[in-house]
Amino acid sequence: MPSAEASPPRHQRFLRQYELIDRVKSYDPQADEALLDRAYVYAMRMHGGQLRASGDPYFAHPIEVAGILTDYRLDTAAIVTALLHDVIEDTVATRADIAGKFGEEVAELVEGVTKLSRLEMGGEHARQAENLRRFILAISKDVRVLMVKLADRLHNMRTLHHIAKPEKRERIARETLDIYAPLARSIGVHRICQELEELSFKHLNPTARDAILRRLETIRTEQGAAVATASGEVTARLEAAGIAARVHGRQKSAYSIWRKLQRKSVAFSQLSDIYGFRVIVDEEDDCYRALGVIHKAWPCVPERFKDYISTPKRNNYRSLHTTVVGPRGLRIELQIRTEAMDRVAEEGVAAHWRYKGQTYGFDAQAAGADGGRDPLINLRQLVQLMEHGGDAEEMVEHAKLEMYLDQVFVFTPKGQLISLPQGAMPLDFAYAVHTDVGDTAVGVKINGELRPLRTPLVNGDVVEVVRGHKPSAPPNWRSLTVTGRARSAIRRHLRMTEREEFMRLGRAAVDQVFARAGRDRAGVSLRPALDRFAQPTEEELYEQVGRGRVAGADVLESVFPGLKPSELTAASARTRIEDGRSARLYVRGGGLTPGVSLHFADCCSPVPGDRIVGILQPSGEGLAVHTIDCPRLADYEDQDDVWRDLHWTPQAEDNTVSRARLMATIRNAPGVLGQVCTLIGEAHGNIVNMHMHHRQSDFFDVDLDIDVAGARHLTNIAAALRACPSVETVDRTKG
C-alpha cells in the first residue's frame, strides 16, 4: 500500500498525515510512524467517496477521532484503531484484513469498537441496555476500546446539527447524555464528559440552555471585574505565604448549572459556585497550606468543604474543594490540587494507563501518590447487573445511578473503607462487602446503635451488619437500596415470583388496548402477535407486555393489521392514572393480588418516576401508595409487616398523564405570568389550574397544577422555570 500522503479535498480542513504523526511523536517519540502512515491512507482509501450528513468526506471523521485521542496521549495502537474504527462496519474490509495489515492487537481493538456500534434492534430500553452491556464487557478487556468510542461519539456530537431529522438528533443526544457522558465521568475523562453534556443539552433543551447563557452573560458583565480582582488577591495571599501557585478562574457550564437547578430548589441567583477558581500548587502538602491561607483570609461557607485528597473519588479524582465569601462579598468555589492531580482530573483513566510489558493497563507505580486505584473497577462491578438477568429498564437506570452519583465513605467495624453512591443505605453496604452478607442481613448497627434498614448512610459512619442464618430478601428490600449490585442480588430472589404478576399486568394492558380500539379480545387468536414477537405462548407474550418489552398497541396492530389510524391513536392514547384497576396497570410489586385495591396517598401525590412504597391499610382499605420521602412513612417506622415494595411499570411514563403541583414565587411585573405559562407549554406541560396568593408589591406566589408524564418531566419544567430571571423560587408541592 502506498505510504505517500493522501490528498484530501481542498474544501475540507482536517489533520494531515504529518500533523497527526507530529502530535503522536510529541509525547511518544518511539511511535511507529510507518504504521500510522498505512492506517491513515487505508482509512481514506476504504471510505472512498462516502459522505457524511454535512456533505464532507466520511474519512474526515476517523481522522478527527484520532486527533481527539492525541490530546490524551494514547499509544500508537489506539490512534490506529481510531483511524480504522469504522472500516469493518461501513466498508468491505474484514477483521482478517485488519489483522493482516496492522496486527492482531489493532484487529482486536477495532473489532471491539465495531461490536459496540452494532446495536441489536428492539425497544428503546432494550437497546440502551444492550449498548451498556457491550460497553462493560469490552472495557473489561481493554480500556482503549472505550476511549476510541468516546472520541467517536464526541466528534459525532460536534457535527450532530447536520442531521436533518429532529427526532434522530434528540435520540442521539439523549443516548449521549444517558450512557456516554456518565461513562466518561466514571473513568475521570472530565473534558470529554463536559463537552458531551453541553452538546446534548444544546439539542435536548435549547430554550433552557439559551436562558441560562443569557443569565451567565449578564452576570459576567456585572461581576467580571470582581472575579478578576478575586483571582489576583488569591494569588497575592498565597505568594505572601510563600506558596507558589497558578490561579485561574472559570465559569460553570450551562448544563452543570441546569443540573443544579434540577437537584436543588433554589433560584439561579442563589447558586454559590457559578464562578470558581482552580489553584494549582507544587506538592500535596501545599494543598493544605493553601487551604489554611484562604480560610484565614476569607470566611468559609459552612458544609461546603470536601477533601477528595484523603478520600479520592472512585475515578481517582483528588482535590480540595471549598467555598468562601471572597473579595467584595463574592461567593467563590476553589479547587486546590497539584499538577498531577489536575491531569488526572482532566484526563482520568488516560493519565496512568500505559504498556507494562506486552499488556496495556493501569500502572499504579507510575500513578504514584496521585493514583492508587484502577478507575475501571467500579465500571466492571456493573457486570453484576447482568449476571442475574432482569429487565433492561432497571439495568440502565441503576447503572446510570451509580455512574452519576457522588460518593459517601463509610467503614466496617474493622476499619475497612467502603465507598458507595450518595444516598446509599445499609443493604447497599452489606452487598458491597459480600453478596452473602447482603443475602443474610436482618438488621444493622450504625455507629454502635441499631438503626432501621432505610437509614441513609453519611460520611464517616461505622456500619455493622446483623446477619441471620439463611438468605432472606423480602420484596420491599429493593426500595431500601440504590446500588445496582444490591438490587441485582435481591432481584435474583424475586424474579420467579414476579413472573405471574407481569403476566397478569400484561393481560390487563392488552385487554385495555383492545377495548380502546373497540375490539373484543375474547375468541381472537393472538398467533400473529406471537409470530411477530417470537413468543411461544400467550402467557409469554403477556409477560413481555407486562415488563414493557412489547407495547400493547403493537399487539393490537399485529392482530388487526387493517386498523384505521384513528383507532390506533385511541389505543395508544395516554390515560390518567386513577385508583383501582387503571392504577394496577402501571404499578407493580408488593405481592399484589386481585383482591387488593390501590389508592394514591393524598399526603404526597406520587407521579410516575417517584420512588414509591405501599403501606397496607387496616380494616381492608387496601394499599396506600406513598413516595419514599413522604413524612407520613415515619408513622410506620416499626411496622415492617405493612410495608410493600412497589415500582412503576415501564409504561407508566410512556402511556399516562398525572397531575402535580408546583409553587413558584414570581416577580410582580407585567407579562411575567405569561412568561411562566409559555415556559411550561414549551416544556410540554399542560396547566389545568392556577391559584395566586401572598401577593405583594414586589413578589407573589402561585400554585400551578400541571398535567405531566412523570417526575422527570416535572423536574425539567421546574428547572426551566428556575432559569427564568423573573422566577425567584420553584418547589414541588405534595398533598
Side-chain angles (χ1 to χ4, degrees):
M1 180 175 295
S3 59
E5 175 122 355
S7 301
R10 294 182 179 179
H11 71 278
Q12 171 67 20
R13 179 68 180 99
F14 50 84
L15 285 175
R16 296 177 180 272
Q17 277 171 266
Y18 72 88
E19 292 172 323
L20 178 63
I21 292 170
D22 286 348
R23 284 196 185 189
V24 176
K25 292 182 77 67
S26 69
Y27 61 82
D28 182 9
Q30 305 303 316
D32 189 338
E33 184 174 341
L35 186 66
L36 290 167
D37 273 334
R38 294 202 309 274
Y40 190 104
V41 175
Y42 187 78
M44 292 188 68
R45 184 167 68 82
M46 295 307 297
H47 288 297
Q50 295 175 354
L51 298 178
R52 289 171 60 80
S54 62
D56 293 329
Y58 190 90
F59 53 72
H61 167 66
I63 292 171
E64 291 302 309
V65 172
I68 291 171
L69 293 180
T70 62
D71 293 336
Y72 295 88
R73 298 188 291 279
L74 262 70
D75 67 305
T76 301
I79 303 301
V80 171
T81 300
L83 291 169
L84 305 177
H85 75 272
D86 278 335
V87 294
I88 296 179
E89 180 75 13
D90 296 331
T91 76
V92 297
T94 65
R95 185 195 187 284
D97 294 335
I98 302 301
K101 292 179 171 63
F102 303 99
E104 186 61 28
E105 180 184 19
V106 170
E108 286 188 5
L109 292 172
V110 173
E111 184 181 41
V113 178
T114 301
K115 287 181 178 179
L116 298 184
S117 302
R118 291 176 174 169
L119 303 182
E120 294 180 359
M121 298 301 294
E124 181 66 18
H125 298 299
R127 191 180 61 79
Q128 280 195 353
E130 179 64 12
N131 190 1
L132 187 59
R133 183 185 71 82
R134 287 177 170 176
F135 259 125
I136 295 169
L137 295 179
I139 293 165
S140 67
K141 296 180 179 179
D142 200 311
V143 70
R144 291 172 292 181
V145 172
L146 175 58
M147 288 298 296
V148 173
K149 193 62 183 176
L150 288 175
D152 171 49
R153 178 52 60 110
L154 178 58
H155 185 252
N156 282 333
M157 288 300 299
R158 288 174 177 175
T159 57
L160 187 62
H161 58 281
H162 291 296
I163 293 179
K165 294 182 178 180
E167 62 272 14
K168 185 175 181 180
R169 292 198 303 271
E170 181 175 348
R171 176 184 62 76
I172 294 173
R174 173 59 58 192
E175 182 180 71
T176 300
L177 202 57
D178 285 350
I179 300 295
Y180 291 83
L183 280 167
R185 179 185 291 106
S186 289
I187 62 172
V189 192
H190 175 75
R191 279 184 291 173
I192 289 181
C193 173
Q194 186 175 61
E195 188 172 355
L196 289 175
E197 289 176 338
E198 283 297 299
L199 292 169
S200 300
F201 188 34
K202 179 180 180 181
H203 290 280
L204 291 173
N205 204 332
T207 302
R209 180 176 180 271
D210 290 344
I212 290 173
L213 290 176
R214 287 195 297 270
R215 297 291 300 277
L216 289 175
E217 181 60 35
T218 301
I219 292 173
R220 186 159 44 244
T221 302
E222 296 173 350
Q223 300 182 355
V227 171
T229 300
S231 179
E233 291 198 26
V234 171
T235 302
R237 296 271 185 173
L238 294 175
E239 286 180 352
I243 301 173
R246 292 190 296 109
V247 180
H248 55 91
R250 61 186 180 84
Q251 181 178 278
K252 285 291 182 72
S253 67
Y255 181 73
S256 67
I257 292 173
W258 171 256
R259 290 272 297 168
K260 287 182 179 293
L261 292 175
Q262 285 183 311
R263 293 195 306 264
K264 301 179 180 180
S265 297
V266 297
F268 194 105
S269 58
Q270 294 175 287
L271 294 176
S272 63
D273 52 359
I274 291 175
Y275 277 106
F277 293 91
R278 191 165 294 170
V279 180
I280 310 297
V281 296
D282 294 332
E283 303 293 339
E284 185 175 309
D285 288 348
D286 293 336
C287 295
Y288 293 99
R289 291 177 57 211
L291 178 71
V293 170
I294 291 167
H295 279 186
K296 185 176 180 179
W298 298 288
C300 171
V301 177
E303 300 181 358
R304 294 287 297 172
F305 170 69
K306 295 179 180 178
D307 185 350
Y308 292 120
I309 293 180
S310 62
T311 52
K313 292 186 179 183
R314 287 185 293 178
N315 59 19
N316 277 345
Y317 176 89
R318 305 179 79 220
S319 184
L320 298 178
H321 288 199
T322 188
T323 300
V324 299
V325 181
R328 302 188 185 182
L330 186 69
R331 286 166 64 107
I332 55 175
E333 180 189 76
L334 295 107
Q335 298 175 353
I336 308 171
R337 61 182 68 147
T338 65
E339 292 281 2
M341 294 176 192
D342 191 52
R343 184 182 167 206
V344 173
E346 293 299 317
E347 300 178 10
V349 71
H352 297 314
W353 278 66
R354 65 197 75 230
Y355 275 104
K356 296 180 295 181
Q358 298 299 314
T359 304
Y360 191 79
F362 180 68
D363 189 345
Q365 184 176 2
D370 289 298
R373 184 178 189 268
D374 183 346
L376 289 186
I377 289 176
N378 52 303
L379 280 184
R380 292 185 180 125
Q381 290 174 349
L382 295 180
V383 174
Q384 295 186 47
L385 290 169
M386 301 171 287
E387 288 180 347
H388 307 301
D391 61 45
E393 169 90 356
E394 287 187 349
M395 193 180 92
V396 173
E397 288 305 314
H398 299 323
K400 287 190 296 184
L401 182 67
E402 289 198 0
M403 290 187 288
Y404 263 121
L405 291 187
D406 214 328
Q407 292 169 280
V408 58
F409 298 95
V410 295
F411 298 89
T412 69
K414 294 183 178 180
Q416 179 187 358
L417 178 66
I418 302 292
S419 64
L420 296 165
Q422 203 167 59
M425 290 177 274
L427 284 174
D428 296 305
F429 170 88
Y431 280 105
V433 173
H434 196 279
T435 302
D436 290 341
V437 176
D439 286 345
T440 56
V442 294
V444 66
K445 289 182 180 180
I446 301 177
N447 302 322
E449 296 184 6
L450 283 171
R451 301 288 293 166
L453 287 174
R454 62 182 65 89
T455 304
L457 301 177
V458 298
N459 281 323
D461 279 345
V462 178
V463 185
E464 179 182 356
V465 178
V466 180
R467 301 177 65 180
H469 297 293
K470 59 181 181 179
S472 173
N476 64 312
W477 270 20
R478 282 198 295 186
S479 65
L480 305 179
T481 59
V482 299
T483 60
R485 177 173 184 171
R487 292 200 168 191
S488 64
I490 295 170
R491 185 168 60 240
R492 183 182 66 243
H493 290 284
L494 302 178
R495 189 185 310 118
M496 295 307 298
T497 59
E498 286 182 338
R499 185 171 183 269
E500 184 176 342
E501 184 179 341
F502 282 128
M503 286 192 294
R504 186 168 60 250
L505 289 169
R507 186 188 299 272
V510 171
D511 286 346
Q512 187 178 68
V513 167
F514 274 56
R516 286 185 196 153
R519 296 292 190 274
D520 186 359
R521 192 182 60 81
V524 175
S525 172
L526 297 184
R527 173 50 57 186
L530 297 179
D531 293 340
R532 175 179 173 183
F533 299 108
Q535 299 300 319
T537 65
E538 291 188 6
E539 286 73 19
E540 297 283 347
L541 178 63
Y542 291 140
E543 181 186 356
Q544 297 303 309
V545 174
R547 290 184 182 274
R549 296 170 182 168
V550 174
D554 291 339
V555 175
L556 175 69
E557 187 179 7
S558 300
V559 176
F560 298 103
L563 282 180
K564 298 177 182 178
S566 59
E567 293 175 303
L568 288 173
T569 301
S572 59
R574 286 184 178 269
T575 58
R576 184 173 299 281
I577 299 181
E578 298 172 350
D579 286 350
R581 180 181 176 84
S582 64
R584 294 177 64 84
L585 294 176
Y586 304 108
V587 177
R588 72 186 187 208
L592 296 178
T593 61
V596 177
S597 64
L598 287 177
H599 65 276
F600 294 99
D602 293 334
C603 50
C604 52
S605 309
V607 299
D610 288 332
R611 289 182 62 196
I612 54 175
V613 295
I615 299 295
L616 194 62
Q617 300 298 293
S619 305
E621 296 174 10
L623 208 60
V625 183
H626 293 261
T627 60
I628 195 66
D629 59 352
C630 177
R632 288 289 302 277
L633 293 179
D635 298 340
Y636 308 96
E637 188 77 23
D638 300 320
Q639 304 178 44
D640 289 342
D641 57 325
V642 303
W643 292 73
R644 298 293 184 270
D645 183 31
L646 299 179
H647 304 272
W648 299 101
T649 67
Q651 303 100 314
E653 288 188 81
D654 297 335
N655 300 337
T656 67
V657 62
S658 304
R659 188 160 300 172
R661 175 172 293 180
L662 293 177
M663 197 279 282
T665 300
I666 304 174
R667 295 186 185 278
N668 194 353
V672 171
L673 198 57
Q675 294 177 25
V676 169
C677 294
T678 299
L679 286 170
I680 293 173
E682 289 176 345
H684 307 294
N686 181 38
I687 301 174
V688 294
N689 191 28
M690 184 184 301
H691 172 63
M692 289 181 284
H693 51 95
H694 298 111
R695 187 158 192 151
Q696 305 294 327
S697 59
D698 49 357
F699 289 97
F700 66 90
D701 295 336
V702 57
D703 292 330
L704 299 157
D705 291 337
I706 307 170
D707 278 348
V708 296
R712 180 186 297 178
H713 186 196
L714 182 65
T715 299
N716 285 338
I717 293 174
L721 293 177
R722 291 183 187 123
C724 177
S726 302
V727 177
E728 185 66 15
T729 63
V730 180
D731 293 288
R732 180 178 174 184
T733 302
K734 296 182 178 181

